[in-house]
Amino acid sequence: MTDSAEFQSVVELRRYTLHPGRRDELIELFEREFVETQEACGMRLFGQFREVGEPDKFVWLRGFRDMETRRAALESFYFGPVWREHGPAANETMIDASDVLLLRPSGPGFPAPDGAPDSRVLVTICHPTGPVKEFSEYFADTVAPALRESGVETFGHFETEPAENTFPRLPVREDETVFVWFAKAAEEHRELLDRTGAGLASRLERPWQRLELTPTPRSRLR
């Protein structure tokens, strides 16, 4: 199945805190039981990741055509036989699964699957002081081109989806507005990214949050 922009209309960025030492257990279960079965319910899994420097964090991305089909897809999966059978084992690995951002496109989306097995993906979460659309335009017109010239290609620009959560059984972070962007960057780009964050400080309510991720074996995004 190829990636499609239609599944990027609504995207969940999910970051779980797990019980110590149980991340690989969850990843093995997740990639054996929850990839094809979720997609069969009408969603698309874009990536599963280990978070560098955070051994008990698991991050993953899934997308939907719109909020209504999100509701239908999640009801189909979480009230269905696969989650009924394997969900308890997954939940046993978790301390918290509520760190979830509900997003919509604000620029370029996720690319087709590519990348080396040992690649890293950077996710940067920004809380703009002003309207998120203005920050998104500034980022696309000024920041992204400067990063590109220095060898850092950004992709996957998203902003908060303000619609009401159509599946409240799974909570999302509400009452905050974010701009999220993805990039592939090497170690030598770290200083550049730090300078970029410092340069954006006046436009942000708080310092940006950067997640450094390594893809799991079945992650499309890598």
Side-chain angles (χ1 to χ4, degrees):
M1 185 181 297
T2 58
D3 287 297
S4 172
E6 66 180 323
F7 285 98
Q8 299 183 40
S9 297
V10 177
V11 169
E12 294 176 351
L13 171 58
R14 311 187 65 86
R15 184 175 185 240
Y16 293 174
T17 300
L18 309 180
H19 291 288
R22 303 195 70 178
R23 182 166 65 182
D24 286 348
E25 176 186 347
L26 176 60
I27 289 171
E28 192 280 330
L29 173 64
F30 190 103
E31 299 204 326
R32 187 184 72 238
E33 303 292 347
F34 298 151
V35 177
E36 289 84 1
T37 52
Q38 288 191 78
E39 295 195 337
C41 292
M43 60 193 97
R44 176 64 50 82
L45 273 65
F46 289 107
Q48 302 87 241
F49 308 93
R50 295 175 174 88
E51 185 172 341
V52 177
E54 296 285 351
D56 302 319
K57 298 290 187 182
F58 173 64
V59 178
W60 63 292
L61 295 154
R62 65 181 169 190
F64 309 85
R65 291 186 174 93
D66 54 46
M67 290 297 291
E68 179 55 29
T69 57
R70 173 181 178 268
R71 179 196 60 77
L74 296 180
E75 287 182 353
S76 177
F77 180 73
Y78 287 103
F79 297 142
V82 174
W83 186 254
R84 189 178 306 116
E85 179 178 357
H86 299 287
N91 285 335
E92 285 178 4
T93 69
M94 303 175 194
I95 295 174
D96 177 67
S98 64
D99 186 356
V100 180
L101 290 172
L102 192 60
L103 306 169
R104 65 184 182 185
S106 189
F110 298 133
D114 66 351
D118 60 350
S119 63
R120 290 190 178 185
V121 174
L122 300 182
V123 183
T124 304
I125 302 168
C126 302
H127 290 77
T129 55
V132 67
K133 190 62 66 178
E134 291 181 8
F135 184 88
S136 173
E137 292 172 353
Y138 174 77
F139 186 90
D141 294 342
T142 304
V143 180
L147 289 172
R148 188 181 307 118
E149 289 179 3
S150 299
V152 177
E153 190 69 35
T154 71
F155 60 91
H157 298 183
F158 292 89
E159 64 185 58
T160 296
E161 167 55 67
E164 182 180 356
N165 182 8
T166 51
F167 193 72
R169 174 176 171 175
L170 296 183
V172 300
R173 285 162 57 180
E174 298 180 303
D175 301 321
E176 60 181 298
T177 300
V178 300
F179 174 77
V180 180
W181 55 279
F182 294 74
K184 296 177 183 178
E187 181 65 30
E188 60 263 27
H189 297 124
R190 189 174 300 276
E191 183 178 346
L192 167 67
L193 292 169
D194 289 342
R195 291 199 308 270
T196 302
L200 286 172
S202 64
R203 297 175 181 268
L204 301 177
E205 292 180 350
R206 66 188 83 164
W208 71 17
Q209 180 185 14
R210 184 191 303 155
L211 311 180
E212 186 173 350
L213 309 176
T214 58
T216 62
R218 300 199 60 196
S219 177
R220 281 191 173 94
L221 187 61
R222 55 178 60 248

